[in-house]
Amino acid sequence: MVKVVEMRNVASNKQTGQDAADRIIAHRVLGIPIFAAVIYVVFSISQTHVGPLFADYLVGWIDSFYEYVEGLMGADVSPVLSSLLLDGIIGGVGAVMGFLPLIMVLFFLLALLEDSGYMARVAVVMDRYLKRVGLSGKSIIPMVIGTGCAIPGVMATRTIRDDRQRRTTAMLTPFMPCGAKLPVIALFAGVFFSDAAWVGTAMYFVAILIIITGALIVKRITNEGSAKSYFIMELPDYRLPSLKRAFISMISRAKAFIIRAATIILLCNAVVHLMQTFTWSFQVVEPGMENTSILAGIASPFAFLLIPLGFGAWQLAAAAIAGFIAKENVVGVLAVVYSITNFIDTEEFVLLSGAGDVADVMGLTSVAALAYLMFNLFTPPCFAAIGAMNAEMDSRNWLWAGIGFQFGVGYTVAYFVYQVGTLMTTGNFGAGVIPGLLGVMFIAGVIVFLIRRNDHKSKIELKEAV
Amino acid sequence: MLTNLIIVLIIAVIVAGAAAKLISGRKKGGPCSGCPYSGLGDQSCHGQDHLSCDQTAEGNQ
């Protein structure tokens, strides 16, 4: 009886179907193209096929509501008030809300992937690369969480004990495209690249590349040995994902998105619209004299710095600045400053405005649009996420260095995308190539200076020790 | 004139409502947009001093 009770079937030496799948899906080389293919399919379904179908209906309703309110007000209402309500509030919020179906489909598919056990394999694949560049084995968790929202992603870094690894992870996590950045990606992919799914996919991989390069740079600057850490995770079995769970996840995220659109985005759009309507002497801006507005006055100096990146218009600078309050604001402010209430059916707008293309209205080429998108994605995150970075880094020096690094990365990436892209498409460099190059060289110079300074310090310490 | 006043009131109510929601959400610790744990009860990520995300991350290791 004892013999029978103590008999155990040990199956650890047998390869199950799950193990066989993991050998391919979580493979150190094959795992990357598989991940790229999966993300491409997810973006393709959400932004090219299913998402726009629902978005068309929603945008139709928003347009009808806009026209209904316009009709209700009549011609007697002050143009300033009418414009504030219609273009500033309804139009601005409506433009962001138009992307809700695309975002919902995307969240639904990501929830299905998570529930199927696939995302855990992605964490295993990426972990190998992150550890090699001096990050912790635990760094992958904040980055996976950061794809939803940078704030909890940064907060999750507190489980990393080594100070340098924790601070580096907190600094690099916001590069992952979060939920708030998805409408910006959807806008530029839709308007400038015919809803191409590669745009969203590429943004994830550029983010991973930046994180790996950034970790290497920080490792060289700090010149500290990494504490060995291990990422131990029990991989969940592959299973058929639950549609119910994915639906609940999608609804909860959609609710959060709607609340953001109806609060922070609405307030920002109203303020931006007022700033665009009045001059510094509080007179209504004359038609054709938009450059005299308060908004133009504030955004123009920043726009000057952005000329080498291909988007030196004050409207684009204003949208980028508003993006630091909440990244969805980029879409809302672009809608307000260009009076576009609908980014989904842009053909209708083009017919009404008489422009050849929405790109003409914004004054952007496709290359400049890609540079602008990358600038918005890879410069510092929203203020709330910066607050989380401050809390987790627990060092003013690291915080300011982190913000500086994020600005440097965003500027450099956008500069090279615009200038190299323009050279490839037109045969000439874009405007401001030399001043921009000086800016990029200054950023590189600061990094080299910091690396050399720490190398010098290390040598002195070594000599003293000897 | 009366129509303008009504429009001003409507705009004021909308803006005040948005601001009030934002302030109350901040006091309570509203969920982050797109947060994977948003609206999931105890697991939701409310604010910087909330530990649930930290616990979630630890739970994965």
Side-chain angles (χ1 to χ4, degrees), chain A residues 222-255:
Chain A
T222 55
N223 211 9
E224 285 175 24
S226 303
K228 275 204 169 182
S229 63
Y230 299 95
F231 177 58
I232 301 165
M233 185 172 74
E234 189 179 344
L235 286 177
D237 284 346
Y238 290 106
R239 63 175 183 186
L240 266 180
S242 157
L243 292 177
K244 189 184 166 190
R245 269 197 293 272
F247 184 77
I248 291 169
S249 168
M250 177 188 78
I251 293 295
S252 68
R253 291 188 193 193
K255 191 181 156 197

Side-chain angles (χ1 to χ4, degrees), chain A residues 35 38 129 180 186 199 207 215 225 252 284 332 342 369 378 394 399:
Chain A
F35 178 51
V38 168
Y129 297 97
V199 179
S252 68
V284 176
N342 174 354
F378 303 127
D394 199 24
L399 178 71

Side-chain angles (χ1 to χ4, degrees), chain A residues 73 76-78 81-82 84-85 89 107 114 138 141 145 147-149 151-152 155-156 158-159 179-180 230-234 248-249 252-253 256-257 259-260 262-264 266-267 270 328 384 387-388 391-392, chain B residues 1 3-12 14-23 26 31-40 44-61:
Chain A
M73 284 195 296
D76 299 336
V77 179
S78 149
L81 289 174
S82 146
L84 175 61
L85 184 61
I89 295 176
F107 282 151
E114 204 172 332
K138 295 172 184 172
I141 296 292
I145 293 175
T147 56
C149 173
I151 299 165
M155 284 160 62
R158 69 180 64 163
T159 56
Y230 299 95
F231 177 58
I232 301 165
M233 185 172 74
E234 189 179 344
I248 291 169
S249 168
S252 68
R253 291 188 193 193
F257 185 86
I259 290 172
R260 293 254 297 185
T263 52
I264 187 81
L266 186 148
L267 288 175
E328 303 97 321
E392 301 308 329
Chain B
M1 186 65 189
T3 325
N4 283 341
L5 195 68
I6 293 168
I7 301 292
V8 168
L9 281 174
I10 290 171
I11 293 172
I14 292 172
V15 170
K21 173 76 184 159
L22 208 62
I23 293 165
R26 210 172 157 73
C32 334
S33 164
C35 172
Y37 307 105
S38 132
L40 298 180
S44 67
C45 301
H46 286 169
Q48 289 171 36
D49 52 351
H50 200 282
L51 293 174
S52 60
C53 285
D54 181 34
Q55 286 156 356
T56 308
E58 272 184 322
N60 278 327
Q61 285 157 79

Side-chain angles (χ1 to χ4, degrees), chain A residues 109-150:
Chain A
L109 295 173
L110 289 177
L112 286 181
L113 281 178
E114 204 172 332
D115 207 30
S116 69
Y118 175 70
M119 293 310 273
R121 271 76 185 177
V122 174
V124 171
V125 172
M126 297 314 304
D127 173 58
R128 293 190 187 100
Y129 297 97
L130 296 184
K131 267 193 288 198
R132 281 185 190 175
V133 292
L135 289 176
S136 164
K138 295 172 184 172
S139 297
I140 189 65
I141 296 292
M143 285 165 193
V144 170
I145 293 175
T147 56
C149 173

